[in-house]
Amino acid sequence: GAVVSQHPSWVICKSGTSVKIECRSLDFQATTMFWYRQFPKQSLMLMATSNEGSKATYEQGVEKDKFLINHASLTLSTLTVTSAHPEDSSFYICSASFNRASTDTQYFGPGTRLTVL
Amino acid sequence: AQSVSQHNHHVILSEAASLELGCNYSYGGTVNLFWYVQYPGQHLQLLLKYFSGDPLVKGIKGFEAEFIKSKFSFNLRKPSVQWSDTAEYFCAVNMNTGFQKLVFGTGTRLLVSP
């Protein structure tokens, strides 16, 4: 149980285009979903937290207009990288949790590797 | 800013050896602590977590971790590793401020040779 999927698993795009990444909780309803970014040999960095039906909360330094997050249902959150540039190339990972308690386990997706040419 | 340190970036062990991976955090308040594992080609999975009670926590696959508040540490241990434990291990801390924000360490790559 508690499976989270991401689509696509990898994407290559041209500079200036927008890319949408989907995160789905397959067998549970996720009150909260999270988006992380991971650079090579570095740790996961939280980008934003989204609760179903409300606006995402972005971490300091993350551009809201650059990384659009939509959490329209309890099983789907999307991250859109707008006007992507090479520096946006990274590994993007989502996670989901049943509730909003700080002790709740986050269940992670497999990640999406974005390469911007 | 809060941070999590994993001092061992790469660890190589033979099967049956004992394992201890270090994790230290910098935050003076109450914390919730997690260890996640990522097997090759797979996503992050929870090994164990601590948020209150007995500071010695037992997780899946024979892993355990001990929270030592005075040392701001949450080290992961396993008495006898197997080849199948080859993976990357991440320590993560939630500052228990009512939000679920996890701060991750940089991870430790464990290679267990048969």
Side-chain angles (χ1 to χ4, degrees), chain A residues 1-34:
Chain A
V3 179
V4 176
S5 69
Q6 281 184 242
H7 178 79
S9 54
W10 59 270
V11 58
I12 301 173
C13 69
K14 293 183 178 180
S15 185
T17 60
S18 294
V19 174
K20 180 184 284 189
I21 303 170
E22 291 186 350
C23 176
R24 292 182 185 272
S25 56
L26 298 184
D27 53 0
F28 68 102
Q29 293 188 323
T31 304
T32 308
M33 287 185 167
F34 307 83

Side-chain angles (χ1 to χ4, degrees), chain A residues 4 32 34 36 38 41-44 46 59 91 93 97 99-110, chain B residues 32 34 36 38 42-44 46 49 51 88 90 94 96-107:
Chain A
V4 176
T32 308
F34 307 83
Y36 293 84
Q38 186 179 28
K41 299 185 179 181
Q42 295 187 28
S43 64
L44 285 76
L46 180 65
E59 294 299 303
F91 195 55
I93 305 171
S97 67
N99 297 304
R100 301 182 187 184
S102 58
T103 55
D104 280 357
T105 299
Q106 291 183 28
Y107 297 93
F108 286 81
Chain B
N32 300 311
F34 304 78
Y36 281 87
Q38 187 170 28
Q42 297 188 27
H43 55 272
L44 282 163
L46 181 69
K49 66 179 180 180
F51 50 91
E88 188 158 17
F90 292 91
N94 169 280
N96 201 20
T97 55
F99 300 100
Q100 290 178 290
K101 177 178 178 178
L102 285 178
V103 179
F104 279 85
T106 51

Side-chain angles (χ1 to χ4, degrees), chain A residues 74-90:
Chain A
L74 285 171
T75 59
L76 174 64
S77 177
T78 59
L79 168 68
T80 301
V81 183
T82 62
S83 187
H85 289 95
E87 58 266 29
D88 299 323
S89 297
S90 190

Side-chain angles (χ1 to χ4, degrees), chain B residues 12-92:
Chain B
I12 301 174
L13 294 172
S14 298
E15 275 194 316
S18 63
L19 169 72
E20 181 161 2
L21 301 182
C23 173
N24 289 89
Y25 63 92
S26 63
Y27 180 67
T30 304
V31 292
N32 300 311
L33 302 155
F34 304 78
W35 274 98
Y36 281 87
V37 61
Q38 187 170 28
Y39 297 103
Q42 297 188 27
H43 55 272
L44 282 163
Q45 302 172 42
L46 181 69
L47 265 182
L48 48 80
K49 66 179 180 180
Y50 169 84
F51 50 91
S52 67
D54 188 343
L56 184 62
V57 181
K58 295 193 183 298
I60 61 171
K61 304 188 180 186
F63 286 90
E64 65 178 30
E66 185 175 13
F67 171 48
I68 303 179
K69 189 175 182 179
S70 61
K71 294 185 177 180
F72 300 91
S73 69
F74 190 55
N75 291 355
L76 181 70
R77 300 195 291 250
K78 186 170 183 177
S80 176
V81 294
Q82 300 173 320
W83 175 78
S84 57
D85 293 325
T86 294
E88 188 158 17
Y89 293 81
F90 292 91
C91 179

